[in-house]
Amino acid sequence: MTTGDDTKAAGEEMYALVERLYPLCRSITGDGVRATLDIVGEYLPLRVHEVPTGTRVLDWTVPQEWNIRDAYIADAAGNRVVDFAASSLHVLGYSVPVSATMPLAELREHLHTLPDHPTWVPYRTSYYTPDWGFCLSQETLDALPDGEYEVRVDSTLADGHLTYAEYVVPGQVADEVIVSCHVCHPSLANDNLAGIAVATFLARALAEQTPWYTYRFLFAPGTIGAITWLARNAERVERAVKHGLVLACAGDPGRLTYKRSRRGDAEIDRVMRNVLQASQRPHEIREFTPYGYDERQFCSPGFDLGVGSLSRTPYAGYPEYHTSADNLDFVRPEAMADTLALCREAFSVLDRNRRYVNLSPYGEPQLGRRGLYDSLGGRSDAKQAQLAMLWVLSLSDGTHGLLDVAERSGLPFDTVAAAADALHDAGLIKA
Amino acid sequence: MTTGDDTKAAGEEMYALVERLYPLCRSITGDGVRATLDIVGEYLPLRVHEVPTGTRVLDWTVPQEWNIRDAYIADAAGNRVVDFAASSLHVLGYSVPVSATMPLAELREHLHTLPDHPTWVPYRTSYYTPDWGFCLSQETLDALPDGEYEVRVDSTLADGHLTYAEYVVPGQVADEVIVSCHVCHPSLANDNLAGIAVATFLARALAEQTPWYTYRFLFAPGTIGAITWLARNAERVERAVKHGLVLACAGDPGRLTYKRSRRGDAEIDRVMRNVLQASQRPHEIREFTPYGYDERQFCSPGFDLGVGSLSRTPYAGYPEYHTSADNLDFVRPEAMADTLALCREAFSVLDRNRRYVNLSPYGEPQLGRRGLYDSLGGRSDAKQAQLAMLWVLSLSDGTHGLLDVAERSGLPFDTVAAAADALHDAGLIKA
Amino acid sequence: MTTGDDTKAAGEEMYALVERLYPLCRSITGDGVRATLDIVGEYLPLRVHEVPTGTRVLDWTVPQEWNIRDAYIADAAGNRVVDFAASSLHVLGYSVPVSATMPLAELREHLHTLPDHPTWVPYRTSYYTPDWGFCLSQETLDALPDGEYEVRVDSTLADGHLTYAEYVVPGQVADEVIVSCHVCHPSLANDNLAGIAVATFLARALAEQTPWYTYRFLFAPGTIGAITWLARNAERVERAVKHGLVLACAGDPGRLTYKRSRRGDAEIDRVMRNVLQASQRPHEIREFTPYGYDERQFCSPGFDLGVGSLSRTPYAGYPEYHTSADNLDFVRPEAMADTLALCREAFSVLDRNRRYVNLSPYGEPQLGRRGLYDSLGGRSDAKQAQLAMLWVLSLSDGTHGLLDVAERSGLPFDTVAAAADALHDAGLIKA
């Protein structure tokens, strides 16, 4: 993992953000999303969008907004044996309101547990089929005596809005890179508060400079949020979006995992492979599948964007996934810091991966006359730097970018980019 | 190997057909071919074609027709020491008539044996160079005392016809798949009576339904027969023939061998690879060579058809090849049944390998709204079925067929095809 | 390695040529190059070109001409402790004139040694930065007592010419193959007197026949010589040069090394791979890099010629490289003979690698009728020859050359070419 004081500090700050977001009850709509975006808004000047219930978005319709104030199961003595106030996971996401008393046998049909992990509470939702329910540990369930229980879900399902936010870092060109994370999961730390935190700090870091590309960060509920954004930005997607990255499960201690775009060899795919390999971090690169996070939407065949997905231990790849064990102990500051560092390295390569044209393509230009040999004489990496210049000159025929040069030569991208800068300054190549 | 009562019954029936065909003396022309087609005609309503001697067919000319009534070598006492009546292999194919008496030393120049397999009789022909001869075992030859022998070949080589037959299973489209087997070898069971039997029962099976493609079965003598058919069907080949398979050596107990078309990546090649791999049968896939059976003609560069060849132990790959040991003991009912089953699986995939277009390509369509999640809820393979739908939607951009989907996703073709059917029924994709 | 009396004789003759050239003091200009070309001119009727100082050649300018008569370091007693007369390596190439007396401490700044190889003298130059210096062994330096030394370089750096030579073997077509070697290194045997010798004898061998291509041999100083030739032949390069080979380090006992052209799959690259593999010589094939010999210039992106480079132990790959140990003991007659033989084999393949069109592409033509089976009956390689004919017929569709046939079939190129000749004679294919 990357070390250094700055990185360590970033890890701690991201962890603190995760801690603040953790208790909120998020869903695909509602005030939990708004409260989440309010907190992220303290770090970034977000632009928040509210899209009314019933709006047609591609093949979907924005659903009713769900809000919840309280929910519990109380025993005959009035003791709350399952209480939403203790954890937002206890209530089935999008539960319709209920207020009833019923015997345990009848109640069981609405209870969800994880028998294989008897102390963990599962995360369950029912967005598009009206239902109500509670999630609890198997141990809690096993301890419940038979008898009558009071059941109450104080929720509202009504016309309202779907909420998402954007933050744009203007670049030197209008071409965009989208960075997307989902904000719809309740008290789950790795999936996806760590992703939100990494996206937030990545945006802040990019905003400290003027990157080459314009970076558009998207904080939106999963699936319906991405679909809503795509529906409202179809023209931009067509015209401006060139690359993208979906961030999820960004904070667990596992190795980094990059999932390729549907295209499989999009520029972001090649950048990620180069950076992961060059960094010598343990990592895995996976082929695209149409299942996972919102890359499903960005990579749908009509859009077919060059959007990959970066995780540490990926989707459903760890037992804590979608359970109460995906908690504040499961994510680590240094893991988030490492994910952030990798993203910065990758976007640094992406930003510099341009095609040049050798202006002196017939034979080698005389580098010595221009001080391009001498100027390197005192550097210990002079030989590599010189070789990088020859490679950039050799491949700068209008069809190869600097990443191509790095890959074919086996030289580090930074060395190749520095060589290109020197040649550009000498007037030997042009972009 | 495939099991099941139907398969077993098919194996027995094919074996019975091989037994009936075995004694006949076939060659590239003559009554042996006609008798063979008469018997096959009891299973299928064949259309038999007679092409006159002297007809120009591509670079070739239909030769004179050869018929034989009797042939033998008799010793001084009049005992037939080699007798055509015992086996059609004993006479050199296309032997000119001869009636003579000569000493053994002179006769030897016309005798063919297999010294390495002293009890086997070789199969030899001389179609285009006038000659006569006998094939016998080395043991028989060694036992012959010196002396005078009466030699007689009662054959006719005269203007007549070349005979071949076709059987067509009409499909839903006029595009054709040709299935070809050679009918010119005399008493050799694997090469190619097993091929004839598998082709016959494959045709019957396909005729029980209306397949997608039109399947044209060709029963013709090797080389000159395929060339004659190509010469007379050049326009159809150009217009309608899309795929094809040559069947030979289809009944020995060895593993299946598929030889690719000259193109190497024709659709039939990809189908065969998929089906052989998915079936987990032991098998081998070989690259094209311009030597072998009639794929040589179908794949000649002017036609360059997508025609592969299916065998068990292939051409010249077993010691019994082109000898009397390629007999009724060498071919097995269960092996023929297995070859038949593989062909049916392959054509089932070929028939369903269509390209669809996702009609809702921007983002994922909402499958739940259409009951495509619920409808699968009760099935144990629901997760795979759902994933298959996402894959079909993802790749149905007009450039990928269902076989592409199966290969890229790693899902079974049947699962992918079922997903496509469900999506098609829901109006989400069109062919 | 190739054996045989002719080869052995060629090896001895090449070695004798290396011995004659060894003492001369070559540089990128000057009389040492002219003397070298005079000697090569005894073997080949060279056309020598003189290009004036100051001539603009691509991005470069022809430098002043350097000549040297004497150079030494003498001790206080007048004894020459380092003497150019003993070895041309002792003086820094392109040393400016100097005549001075100085203490050893001051002199040291102009002395070059190889501490890791204390008995060897390094080879050093300073073509484009005015400087003077001496190269000597570390042992010699260590033995020098402190004190005053007389230093003298009797050289001239003045307007003059750059000298290079060409020799052309006319072919049946005007398309050219260039064979290039550098002639600028002083007393170094492998780099590049062996290359000069192999090029000379290769030219003689090709001139004994009329090859298909026109072969142009270039004897020129490294870098600036190739750049000068390219500048003066840009139109020819564009129009006529189709293939090329740079020869360097052609005489050491190591295995052969072929470095691909920038294109990576140019015809010369494929020919070299085929010939090296077929020859079963130990060898290595390397990817292109823009560092090395004059392939750097020929493969610059503006020209991007199909020019590879053949060496034995390549550039900087042996400790003796650019030292006095690259001497007459380091190169071997049999190694040069082997390099020569490989070049002849490669150009023989290149010359015969033509595309044919099958004039009878529909089905197989009847080879027997044309005597193409019979004619081969008596040869032990008849089966392979027959198969080669089928392969040539199969692939001669206008898109494949004979090398493609050899590679796809796995047959030796010579067998394929012989089959093509037979088919061509029979009128079945045309070029």
Side-chain angles (χ1 to χ4, degrees), chain C residues 134-294:
Chain C
F134 286 87
C135 300
L136 64 162
S137 73
Q138 185 66 38
E139 281 188 0
T140 301
L141 176 59
D142 292 345
L144 292 187
D146 281 341
E148 295 287 306
Y149 287 86
E150 183 196 353
V151 175
R152 182 164 163 79
V153 175
D154 179 14
S155 66
T156 328
L157 203 51
D159 284 358
H161 295 82
L162 176 146
T163 311
Y164 71 84
E166 291 178 292
Y167 174 68
V168 175
V169 181
Q172 299 174 46
V173 296
D175 289 344
E176 288 190 8
V177 180
I178 51 171
V179 181
S180 166
C181 58
H182 60 280
V183 297
C184 52
H185 284 26
S187 302
L188 299 170
N190 197 38
D191 179 18
N192 190 33
L193 300 180
I196 295 169
V198 170
T200 301
F201 280 75
L202 179 58
R204 293 221 306 192
L206 286 167
E208 285 171 12
Q209 60 211 16
T210 301
W212 177 256
Y213 288 111
T214 292
Y215 285 80
R216 181 176 297 268
F217 287 79
L218 177 60
F219 300 84
T223 305
I224 187 66
I227 282 169
T228 300
W229 183 84
L230 282 165
R232 304 177 90 212
N233 292 274
E235 186 277 330
R236 159 176 297 117
V237 165
E238 176 88 25
R239 174 178 44 79
V241 176
K242 303 301 180 193
H243 317 283
L245 192 65
V246 170
L247 284 169
C249 303
D252 69 272
R255 64 180 182 179
L256 286 159
T257 303
Y258 177 70
K259 174 183 159 183
R260 292 175 184 275
S261 73
R262 176 180 179 275
R263 293 183 199 163
D265 64 348
E267 192 171 336
I268 188 75
D269 300 325
R270 298 178 56 230
V271 165
M272 278 291 176
R273 186 186 60 186
N274 183 274
V275 169
L276 283 167
Q277 287 181 346
S279 78
Q280 302 192 308
R281 286 173 172 92
H283 68 274
E284 184 185 354
I285 294 177
R286 296 192 169 187
E287 296 304 313
F288 177 77
T289 72
Y291 205 55
Y293 293 103
D294 284 333

Side-chain angles (χ1 to χ4, degrees), chain A residues 353-357 394-405 408, chain C residues 262:
Chain A
N353 183 28
R354 281 199 282 295
R355 289 184 187 177
Y356 291 93
V357 174
S394 180
L395 295 184
S396 289
D397 56 6
T399 68
H400 300 92
L402 295 186
L403 185 60
D404 296 311
V405 177
R408 183 156 173 192
Chain C
R262 176 180 179 275

Side-chain angles (χ1 to χ4, degrees), chain A residues 230-247:
Chain A
L230 283 165
R232 304 178 89 212
N233 292 273
E235 186 276 330
R236 158 175 296 117
V237 165
E238 175 87 26
R239 174 178 43 81
V241 176
K242 303 301 178 192
H243 317 282
L245 191 64
V246 171
L247 285 170

Side-chain angles (χ1 to χ4, degrees), chain A residues 59-60 262 296-297 300 302, chain B residues 361 363-364 366 369 394 408:
Chain A
D59 187 60
W60 301 60
R262 176 181 181 273
R296 294 163 66 164
Q297 310 308 329
S300 58
Chain B
E364 286 175 22
Q366 196 178 5
R369 169 156 60 87
S394 181
R408 183 156 171 192

Side-chain angles (χ1 to χ4, degrees), chain B residues 169 176-180 198-199 202-203 205-206 209 211-217 243-247 258 267-269 271-272 275 306-308 310 339-354 413-414:
Chain B
V169 181
E176 288 190 10
V177 180
I178 50 171
V179 181
S180 166
V198 170
L202 179 59
L206 286 168
Q209 60 211 15
W212 177 256
Y213 289 110
T214 292
Y215 285 79
R216 181 175 299 269
F217 287 79
H243 316 282
L245 191 64
V246 170
L247 285 170
Y258 176 69
E267 193 172 336
I268 188 74
D269 300 324
V271 165
M272 278 292 175
V275 169
V307 174
L310 185 68
T339 308
L340 176 62
L342 188 279
C343 288
R344 295 188 64 180
E345 290 164 39
F347 288 155
S348 166
V349 169
L350 184 67
D351 261 12
R352 287 178 290 163
N353 183 29
R354 279 197 283 293
F413 184 89
D414 285 348

Side-chain angles (χ1 to χ4, degrees), chain B residues 227-380:
Chain B
I227 282 169
T228 299
W229 183 84
L230 283 165
R232 303 178 90 211
N233 292 274
E235 186 276 332
R236 159 175 297 116
V237 165
E238 175 88 25
R239 173 179 44 81
V241 175
K242 304 300 178 191
H243 316 282
L245 191 64
V246 170
L247 285 170
C249 303
D252 68 272
R255 64 179 182 180
L256 285 159
T257 303
Y258 176 69
K259 175 183 160 182
R260 292 176 184 275
S261 73
R262 176 180 179 275
R263 293 183 198 164
D265 63 349
E267 193 172 336
I268 188 74
D269 300 324
R270 297 179 57 232
V271 165
M272 278 292 175
R273 186 187 61 185
N274 183 274
V275 169
L276 284 166
Q277 287 181 345
S279 77
Q280 302 192 306
R281 285 173 173 93
H283 68 273
E284 184 185 354
I285 294 177
R286 295 192 170 188
E287 296 304 314
F288 176 77
T289 72
Y291 205 53
Y293 292 104
D294 284 332
E295 68 277 8
R296 293 163 66 163
Q297 311 308 327
F298 298 121
C299 294
S300 58
F303 295 114
D304 198 23
L305 296 174
V307 174
S309 175
L310 185 68
S311 299
R312 301 193 72 87
T313 307
Y315 184 87
Y318 48 99
E320 297 86 352
Y321 172 77
H322 277 196
T323 78
S324 57
D326 180 357
N327 58 24
L328 292 171
D329 292 333
F330 186 63
V331 297
R332 307 307 321 147
E334 61 273 20
M336 285 189 277
D338 183 60
T339 308
L340 176 62
L342 188 279
C343 288
R344 295 188 64 180
E345 290 164 39
F347 288 155
S348 166
V349 169
L350 184 67
D351 261 12
R352 287 178 290 163
N353 183 29
R354 279 197 283 293
R355 290 184 188 178
Y356 290 94
V357 174
N358 180 344
L359 298 172
S360 185
Y362 295 98
E364 286 175 22
Q366 196 178 5
L367 296 178
R369 169 156 60 87
R370 295 172 174 88
L372 291 176
Y373 270 47
D374 287 357
S375 70
L376 300 162
R379 295 163 54 184
S380 64

